[in-house]
Amino acid sequence: MTTTTKLLAGTLALSIGLTGLSAISAEAEGRAGDGARFSELDADGNGEVSLAEMRAFGDARFEATDIDGDGALSMAEILAAREAQSADQREARISRFIERADANGNGTLERDEFGAGADRMEARFERLDADGSGGLSPEEMRKAREARGFRFGRGDGRDRG
């Protein structure tokens, strides 16, 4: 096993574990988590996730990622799994957005439903306009991005401020 392969395997294992733990804390806080939900990790349904359950989840994730079933993960398999995970996460965020904004429950957003968040946007804008100038300076915009987790182009887009 090359050093690169070992590094990738370790990164994947850590990612599986951290994704599981992040999902647990996210669900406990009442919001959607990335990756597995607590209920998926708590295989026996006893209200706790044991180390054995975390390992079983990681083993299942490994097997699902091992597309060719050779017992090893290639760069292509890991990349494919990450891309699928990202697509699933985007779809889940969009689905939650539509559910929240779809006032008439028809599964689509009409113009008036889409604009319903304008009051929230106005309140957020006023909060970000720290100096009350009626406009956002580059510094105020930078602070807003940092508060939302967008440093270095990363983040989930949730407002934390």
Side-chain angles (χ1 to χ4, degrees):
M1 185 180 274
T2 68
T3 302
T4 302
T5 306
K6 287 178 186 175
L7 181 60
L8 283 172
T11 301
L12 180 66
L14 180 60
S15 173
I16 289 168
L18 292 178
T19 297
L21 292 175
S22 140
I24 291 168
S25 64
E27 186 168 296
E29 294 172 7
R31 54 186 174 84
D34 296 340
R37 303 281 295 170
F38 182 90
S39 56
E40 292 173 312
L41 294 168
D42 183 18
D44 62 11
N46 72 350
E48 292 184 337
V49 176
S50 68
L51 180 56
E53 287 170 321
M54 288 293 288
R55 286 183 177 145
F57 177 80
D59 290 345
R61 179 88 43 103
F62 183 94
E63 289 174 23
T65 304
D66 184 15
I67 297 167
D68 62 12
D70 68 353
L73 299 179
S74 67
M75 176 74 78
E77 288 170 323
I78 294 170
L79 288 173
R82 295 295 295 184
E83 287 173 13
Q85 181 184 32
S86 294
D88 289 346
Q89 290 169 348
R90 281 191 305 273
E91 185 176 322
R93 280 193 304 270
I94 292 167
S95 178
R96 286 189 305 271
F97 172 74
I98 291 172
E99 286 174 19
R100 284 192 309 264
D102 184 17
N104 65 11
N106 70 353
T108 63
L109 296 181
E110 283 74 33
R111 168 67 70 190
D112 62 328
E113 292 172 323
F114 190 78
D119 290 340
R120 287 192 317 263
M121 179 176 46
E122 187 174 324
R124 184 176 299 140
F125 184 91
E126 289 173 6
R127 188 177 67 243
L128 297 176
D129 182 17
D131 63 7
S133 68
L136 298 180
S137 69
E139 179 65 15
E140 290 167 328
M141 299 272 297
R142 183 190 62 74
K143 287 181 180 178
R145 277 192 310 276
E146 287 178 359
R148 292 181 61 155
F150 279 105
R151 274 174 288 190
F152 309 110
R154 297 183 186 143
D156 60 10
R158 291 183 292 227
D159 187 16
R160 289 174 172 68

Short mmCIF file of all heavy atoms in Angstrom, two decimals, residues 64-89:
data_model
loop_
_atom_site.label_atom_id
_atom_site.label_comp_id
_atom_site.label_asym_id
_atom_site.label_seq_id
_atom_site.Cartn_x
_atom_site.Cartn_y
_atom_site.Cartn_z
N ALA A 64 -20.17 0.41 0.11
CA ALA A 64 -20.93 1.15 -0.90
C ALA A 64 -20.00 1.95 -1.81
O ALA A 64 -20.28 2.12 -3.00
CB ALA A 64 -21.92 2.08 -0.21
N THR A 65 -18.89 2.42 -1.27
CA THR A 65 -17.93 3.20 -2.05
C THR A 65 -17.09 2.31 -2.95
O THR A 65 -16.67 2.72 -4.04
CB THR A 65 -17.02 4.02 -1.11
OG1 THR A 65 -17.85 4.83 -0.27
CG2 THR A 65 -16.06 4.91 -1.87
N ASP A 66 -16.87 1.07 -2.54
CA ASP A 66 -16.06 0.11 -3.29
C ASP A 66 -16.89 -0.44 -4.46
O ASP A 66 -17.39 -1.56 -4.43
CB ASP A 66 -15.61 -1.02 -2.36
CG ASP A 66 -14.68 -2.01 -3.04
OD1 ASP A 66 -14.15 -1.70 -4.13
OD2 ASP A 66 -14.50 -3.11 -2.48
N ILE A 67 -17.03 0.37 -5.49
CA ILE A 67 -17.91 0.08 -6.62
C ILE A 67 -17.58 -1.25 -7.28
O ILE A 67 -18.46 -2.03 -7.62
CB ILE A 67 -17.88 1.23 -7.65
CG1 ILE A 67 -18.41 2.52 -6.99
CG2 ILE A 67 -18.69 0.88 -8.88
CD1 ILE A 67 -18.13 3.77 -7.78
N ASP A 68 -16.31 -1.53 -7.48
CA ASP A 68 -15.93 -2.76 -8.18
C ASP A 68 -15.82 -3.97 -7.25
O ASP A 68 -15.56 -5.08 -7.69
CB ASP A 68 -14.65 -2.57 -9.00
CG ASP A 68 -13.43 -2.22 -8.15
OD1 ASP A 68 -13.50 -2.34 -6.91
OD2 ASP A 68 -12.42 -1.82 -8.75
N GLY A 69 -16.01 -3.75 -5.95
CA GLY A 69 -16.03 -4.84 -4.99
C GLY A 69 -14.71 -5.55 -4.78
O GLY A 69 -14.68 -6.69 -4.32
N ASP A 70 -13.60 -4.86 -5.06
CA ASP A 70 -12.29 -5.51 -4.93
C ASP A 70 -11.69 -5.37 -3.53
O ASP A 70 -10.57 -5.80 -3.28
CB ASP A 70 -11.31 -4.99 -5.99
CG ASP A 70 -10.91 -3.53 -5.79
OD1 ASP A 70 -11.49 -2.86 -4.89
OD2 ASP A 70 -10.04 -3.06 -6.54
N GLY A 71 -12.42 -4.75 -2.61
CA GLY A 71 -11.92 -4.60 -1.25
C GLY A 71 -10.96 -3.45 -1.08
O GLY A 71 -10.33 -3.32 -0.03
N ALA A 72 -10.83 -2.62 -2.09
CA ALA A 72 -9.94 -1.46 -2.04
C ALA A 72 -10.64 -0.27 -2.69
O ALA A 72 -11.45 -0.44 -3.60
CB ALA A 72 -8.64 -1.76 -2.77
N LEU A 73 -10.33 0.91 -2.20
CA LEU A 73 -10.93 2.12 -2.76
C LEU A 73 -9.93 2.86 -3.64
O LEU A 73 -8.86 3.24 -3.17
CB LEU A 73 -11.41 3.04 -1.64
CG LEU A 73 -12.47 2.47 -0.71
CD1 LEU A 73 -12.84 3.49 0.37
CD2 LEU A 73 -13.70 2.03 -1.48
N SER A 74 -10.32 3.04 -4.88
CA SER A 74 -9.47 3.80 -5.81
C SER A 74 -9.83 5.28 -5.70
O SER A 74 -10.85 5.66 -5.13
CB SER A 74 -9.71 3.33 -7.24
OG SER A 74 -11.02 3.67 -7.65
N MET A 75 -8.97 6.09 -6.26
CA MET A 75 -9.22 7.53 -6.31
C MET A 75 -10.56 7.79 -7.01
O MET A 75 -11.37 8.59 -6.53
CB MET A 75 -8.09 8.24 -7.06
CG MET A 75 -8.31 9.72 -7.24
SD MET A 75 -8.08 10.67 -5.73
CE MET A 75 -6.31 10.72 -5.68
N ALA A 76 -10.83 7.10 -8.09
CA ALA A 76 -12.07 7.29 -8.85
C ALA A 76 -13.29 6.93 -8.00
O ALA A 76 -14.31 7.63 -8.04
CB ALA A 76 -12.05 6.45 -10.12
N GLU A 77 -13.21 5.86 -7.22
CA GLU A 77 -14.33 5.45 -6.37
C GLU A 77 -14.60 6.48 -5.28
O GLU A 77 -15.75 6.80 -4.98
CB GLU A 77 -14.07 4.07 -5.75
CG GLU A 77 -14.15 2.94 -6.75
CD GLU A 77 -13.66 1.61 -6.20
OE1 GLU A 77 -12.66 1.61 -5.42
OE2 GLU A 77 -14.25 0.58 -6.55
N ILE A 78 -13.53 6.98 -4.67
CA ILE A 78 -13.69 7.98 -3.61
C ILE A 78 -14.26 9.27 -4.18
O ILE A 78 -15.17 9.86 -3.61
CB ILE A 78 -12.35 8.23 -2.89
CG1 ILE A 78 -11.93 6.96 -2.13
CG2 ILE A 78 -12.45 9.42 -1.93
CD1 ILE A 78 -10.52 6.99 -1.59
N LEU A 79 -13.76 9.70 -5.32
CA LEU A 79 -14.27 10.91 -5.95
C LEU A 79 -15.74 10.75 -6.33
O LEU A 79 -16.54 11.67 -6.13
CB LEU A 79 -13.45 11.28 -7.19
CG LEU A 79 -12.05 11.82 -6.90
CD1 LEU A 79 -11.27 11.98 -8.21
CD2 LEU A 79 -12.12 13.14 -6.16
N ALA A 80 -16.10 9.59 -6.87
CA ALA A 80 -17.50 9.34 -7.24
C ALA A 80 -18.40 9.40 -6.01
O ALA A 80 -19.50 9.96 -6.06
CB ALA A 80 -17.63 7.99 -7.94
N ALA A 81 -17.95 8.84 -4.90
CA ALA A 81 -18.74 8.86 -3.67
C ALA A 81 -18.91 10.28 -3.16
O ALA A 81 -20.00 10.67 -2.72
CB ALA A 81 -18.08 7.99 -2.60
N ARG A 82 -17.85 11.07 -3.20
CA ARG A 82 -17.92 12.46 -2.74
C ARG A 82 -18.85 13.29 -3.63
O ARG A 82 -19.60 14.11 -3.14
CB ARG A 82 -16.53 13.10 -2.70
CG ARG A 82 -15.57 12.48 -1.70
CD ARG A 82 -16.03 12.66 -0.30
NE ARG A 82 -16.01 14.07 0.03
CZ ARG A 82 -16.28 14.57 1.20
NH1 ARG A 82 -16.58 13.78 2.19
NH2 ARG A 82 -16.24 15.85 1.43
N GLU A 83 -18.78 13.06 -4.95
CA GLU A 83 -19.66 13.80 -5.85
C GLU A 83 -21.12 13.44 -5.62
O GLU A 83 -21.99 14.31 -5.60
CB GLU A 83 -19.26 13.54 -7.30
CG GLU A 83 -17.96 14.23 -7.68
CD GLU A 83 -17.46 13.84 -9.07
OE1 GLU A 83 -18.22 13.24 -9.85
OE2 GLU A 83 -16.30 14.14 -9.36
N ALA A 84 -21.40 12.16 -5.41
CA ALA A 84 -22.77 11.72 -5.14
C ALA A 84 -23.26 12.31 -3.83
O ALA A 84 -24.41 12.76 -3.72
CB ALA A 84 -22.84 10.20 -5.11
N GLN A 85 -22.39 12.33 -2.81
CA GLN A 85 -22.75 12.89 -1.51
C GLN A 85 -23.06 14.37 -1.66
O GLN A 85 -24.06 14.86 -1.12
CB GLN A 85 -21.62 12.68 -0.52
CG GLN A 85 -21.92 13.21 0.87
CD GLN A 85 -20.72 13.06 1.80
OE1 GLN A 85 -19.57 13.13 1.37
NE2 GLN A 85 -21.00 12.85 3.06
N SER A 86 -22.24 15.09 -2.42
CA SER A 86 -22.48 16.52 -2.62
C SER A 86 -23.80 16.75 -3.33
O SER A 86 -24.55 17.66 -2.98
CB SER A 86 -21.33 17.14 -3.42
OG SER A 86 -20.15 17.10 -2.68
N ALA A 87 -24.10 15.94 -4.35
CA ALA A 87 -25.36 16.07 -5.08
C ALA A 87 -26.54 15.80 -4.16
O ALA A 87 -27.54 16.52 -4.19
CB ALA A 87 -25.37 15.13 -6.28
N ASP A 88 -26.42 14.77 -3.32
CA ASP A 88 -27.49 14.45 -2.37
C ASP A 88 -27.70 15.60 -1.38
O ASP A 88 -28.84 15.94 -1.04
CB ASP A 88 -27.17 13.17 -1.59
CG ASP A 88 -27.28 11.92 -2.44
OD1 ASP A 88 -27.84 11.98 -3.56
OD2 ASP A 88 -26.78 10.87 -1.99
N GLN A 89 -26.62 16.20 -0.92
CA GLN A 89 -26.72 17.30 0.03
C GLN A 89 -27.37 18.52 -0.62
O GLN A 89 -28.21 19.18 0.00
CB GLN A 89 -25.35 17.66 0.59
CG GLN A 89 -24.79 16.60 1.51
CD GLN A 89 -23.34 16.81 1.85
OE1 GLN A 89 -22.65 17.63 1.24
NE2 GLN A 89 -22.85 16.06 2.82
#
